[in-house]
Amino acid sequence: MNFASLPDRRASLDPDGAAVSDGRQALTNVQLLRRVQAATRHLRDLGIGPGDVVALKLTNRVEFVLLLFAAWRLGATITPVNPSMTDVEVARQVKDSRARLLVNEDGEAAVADGTAVLAVGELRDDAAAEPDEAPLPNPSALALLIYTSGTTGVPKGVMLDHANIDAMADMGRRALEVGPADRCLLISPGLPGTSAELLARMAPP
């Protein structure tokens, strides 16, 4: 499945159906698509393109999902950053992943020299902007760069391409028998298993 175009497919099949929500907001499928398109244009205007890495140091919130899909539409990679990490640990991951952009919570100071920083509250949400068309990503292109806990040393990046994500989401959907009416609670959306669970829940049967 082309997950970069999943918001488009959901909006076409069930425009007013529930898509994602957090303690702050809830989006229907068509609202999700419009917000993803706005975020895509924002990232593009910041110079993000194919092969670039975007670091997300965010709590559990809708914007994580928006930026995930937005980056994939541009052929970019997401590296989730644990919000509980120290500034030194964050700087190490941002540097090691060669992230071009770090998105963090409002009011947080920059911790990575030379890396552009975007406060999540500044993310564009212009729902009236012109629509774009989701590209077909290369299945071997890097989708997620997940860093290990580092219990036995310095955390290392684990590379997951779009084919990996597709297989994990399909396996999760089949094993859990997830259907259109089901809801999934994601405690840590940055981990590969929970990211796959998100996609498994959102993927139409």
Side-chain angles (χ1 to χ4, degrees):
M1 173 177 289
N2 174 15
F3 282 117
S5 64
L6 181 56
D8 307 71
R9 185 178 177 191
R10 289 182 60 90
S12 175
L13 292 174
D14 186 11
D16 298 322
V20 293
S21 65
D22 58 20
R24 306 172 184 86
Q25 57 189 314
L27 301 180
T28 65
N29 289 318
V30 72
Q31 290 172 333
L32 172 67
L33 174 60
R34 290 170 179 168
R35 293 282 299 276
V36 168
Q37 291 171 335
T40 301
R41 283 185 288 275
H42 195 165
L43 292 184
R44 183 187 293 118
D45 289 346
L46 291 174
I48 302 301
D52 289 331
V53 176
V54 177
L56 302 184
K57 182 175 179 282
L58 299 173
T59 55
N60 299 322
R61 56 189 303 159
V62 162
E63 287 80 4
F64 184 99
V65 181
L66 301 178
L67 289 160
L68 183 73
F69 286 117
W72 288 351
R73 291 168 90 88
L74 295 171
T77 302
I78 289 293
T79 184
V81 180
N82 189 330
S84 66
M85 293 200 308
T86 66
D87 288 351
V88 172
E89 292 170 327
V90 173
R92 181 190 297 123
Q93 179 174 334
V94 169
K95 180 179 179 180
D96 187 73
S97 66
R98 298 182 181 178
R100 288 199 60 186
L101 175 69
L102 170 65
V103 184
N104 59 14
E105 298 289 337
D106 295 337
E108 290 190 356
V111 297
D113 293 339
T115 301
V117 177
L118 173 67
V120 69
E122 298 176 0
L123 183 65
R124 295 178 195 162
D125 60 357
D126 183 5
E130 294 182 6
D132 65 353
E133 184 175 342
L136 292 175
N138 181 349
S140 63
L142 191 60
L144 289 173
L145 185 56
I146 307 292
Y147 277 75
T148 63
S149 61
T151 53
T152 59
V154 177
K156 301 173 181 63
V158 177
M159 297 183 291
L160 296 175
D161 60 26
H162 283 274
N164 295 142
I165 299 300
D166 189 3
M168 291 174 65
D170 182 64
M171 180 176 61
R173 182 165 59 89
R174 294 174 184 273
L176 299 174
E177 299 182 350
V178 178
D182 292 324
R183 300 290 183 267
C184 292
L185 175 63
L186 302 183
I187 299 175
S188 180
L191 297 178
T194 48
S195 295
E197 184 180 340
L198 164 71
L199 297 171
R201 159 63 186 90
M202 296 187 71

